[in-house]
Amino acid sequence: MKIVVLAGGYSHEREVSLSSGSLIANALMENGHDVILLDLYFGTKEASTFDEAHKLLSKDRYEYKVKRQIPDLKALKAQKEKPEEMIGENIIPIAQSADLVFLSLHGELGENGQLQAVFDLYDITYTGTGYLGSAIAMNKLLSKEIMSAQGILTPDWEVVEQGDSPQSEVPCVVKPNESGSSIGVTIVDNEEDLNNAVDDALQYSSSVLIEEKIEGREFSVGVLEDTALPAIEIIPKTGFYDYENKYQEGATIEICPAELDETITERMQSIALDVFKALRLEYYARIDFMVSGEGQIYCIEANTLPGMTPTSLFPQEAAASGMDYNSLCNKLAQIAADK
């Protein structure tokens, strides 16, 4: 197939996206597809069809390593002639002339359903969940409200906006309502730090979620079509599973399949499928959990475009089920092509 791998974009998570996209593009090329990797935010002036872009821009291999620092979006805007345009030049016509677009985007436009809605209007085939499920899952408050209404256990929460006074008790977890990759997330253990944590999170989202802190073990369960993948346990060597611990190799111990009682594993997988259905997700996703010392399983959130970097969880879970990285990428592309 002719496949555009779309990565980057105007997002604090663009570094992760570009790393994922490079690996995805390499895997798809090794599977025999014609592939180009494009940055959603910048696009290209050099071509307006897939064939032109493939001739001029394709590479034998893509390489990208996630930097330690969160990207500076103001500096990114300064590099573009029309910085207010979130979809780069010729992205739409190139995507229209391809067989499908493999979405390797994280955060904001890539995961909140807006791009999916645009692609639907242009009849562009793309991987992953459609606009509705993407919008629901990206909004942590809406996700938690739906999960709670469906009887799915999730930590208690409070939402605050600029100027509000948080009422939550510490310890708690403060996070932007619409962001990912643990950007802007703080674990607060004393009241003096709560307001500062809220102010930090407000840099990345117009509202902030303050969650009850669950003491216990952290897990994730991928869903591929109608099947829950093996659970993976996440154990950062220092601190919590923040941006650096997620994307710097060797910073976190990951055990897959997780060393859990079979009953708890099966229960967690069942809840993952329930969340997948409740949030209107499609084709594949990753669901994150905390398990308390008493064995209570709390769903934290869902990710509609799971990371595909060297340290990402979803590919490790697929591997534990017998599917290597290249086969996983090919499978996701084929699912999209068969929609």
Side-chain angles (χ1 to χ4, degrees), residues 62-319:
Y62 294 91
E63 300 284 346
Y64 199 90
K65 187 175 181 180
V66 180
K67 301 179 181 67
R68 289 182 179 272
Q69 297 79 21
I70 296 170
D72 181 345
L73 296 188
K74 288 184 179 178
L76 191 71
K77 274 189 171 183
Q79 300 174 35
K80 189 173 177 181
E81 187 176 334
K82 296 180 179 179
E84 71 284 354
E85 294 183 0
M86 295 294 106
I87 298 179
E89 192 166 357
N90 287 320
I91 290 290
I92 296 297
I94 291 173
Q96 283 180 303
S97 59
D99 292 315
L100 68 93
V101 174
F102 199 118
L103 294 180
S104 173
L105 295 161
H106 304 306
E108 286 91 19
L109 179 63
E111 286 191 273
N112 66 11
Q114 291 178 322
L115 183 65
Q116 287 82 353
V118 170
F119 279 3
D120 286 345
L121 292 174
Y122 282 98
D123 195 28
I124 293 169
T125 300
Y126 55 88
T127 54
T129 293
Y131 76 91
L132 179 59
S134 297
I136 291 171
M138 189 64 177
N139 188 305
K140 293 179 174 61
L141 170 60
L142 183 55
S143 296
K144 288 172 74 70
E145 288 176 337
I146 291 172
M147 287 191 288
S148 184
Q150 293 289 319
I152 297 165
L153 187 62
T154 186
D156 290 338
W157 72 90
E158 173 192 9
V159 172
V160 296
E161 298 179 356
Q162 192 76 50
D164 292 344
S165 297
Q167 303 299 313
S168 296
E169 296 182 359
V170 297
C172 60
V173 182
V174 178
K175 59 181 70 173
N177 186 41
E178 296 189 70
S179 185
S181 291
S182 295
I183 292 173
V185 175
T186 306
I187 294 179
V188 179
D189 291 313
N190 58 75
E191 291 184 7
E192 292 76 19
D193 294 335
L194 182 55
N195 286 325
N196 288 337
V198 169
D199 289 342
D200 183 54
L202 282 169
Q203 297 180 58
Y204 304 103
S205 181
S206 60
S207 60
V208 171
L209 196 74
I210 305 177
E211 277 187 336
E212 166 194 14
K213 182 184 178 184
I214 305 301
E215 298 288 354
R217 298 163 67 187
E218 187 170 0
F219 300 89
S220 188
V221 175
V223 176
L224 181 57
E225 294 188 286
D226 298 323
T227 302
L229 299 176
I232 186 169
E233 183 170 10
I234 305 144
I235 310 171
K237 292 181 179 178
T238 59
F240 72 102
Y241 198 44
D242 60 7
Y243 186 82
E244 184 167 335
N245 282 335
K246 282 185 175 181
Y247 303 117
Q248 299 304 316
E249 290 189 30
T252 298
I253 299 167
E254 290 140 356
I255 302 170
C256 189
E259 296 173 356
L260 271 172
D261 180 272
E262 187 176 345
T263 302
I264 296 178
T265 298
E266 291 176 355
R267 177 66 181 142
M268 194 185 301
Q269 289 175 316
S270 176
I271 295 170
L273 292 172
D274 290 342
V275 172
F276 192 83
K277 181 178 180 181
L279 301 187
R280 308 297 192 269
L281 308 185
E282 301 170 273
Y283 311 113
Y284 74 108
R286 199 193 74 234
I287 319 297
D288 297 337
F289 295 95
M290 289 295 297
V291 178
S292 71
E294 296 76 33
Q296 290 272 55
I297 302 171
Y298 293 83
C299 184
I300 305 301
E301 61 183 53
N303 301 269
T304 56
L305 291 176
M308 299 283 280
T309 70
T311 58
S312 293
L313 306 177
F314 191 79
Q316 292 186 61
E317 295 175 57

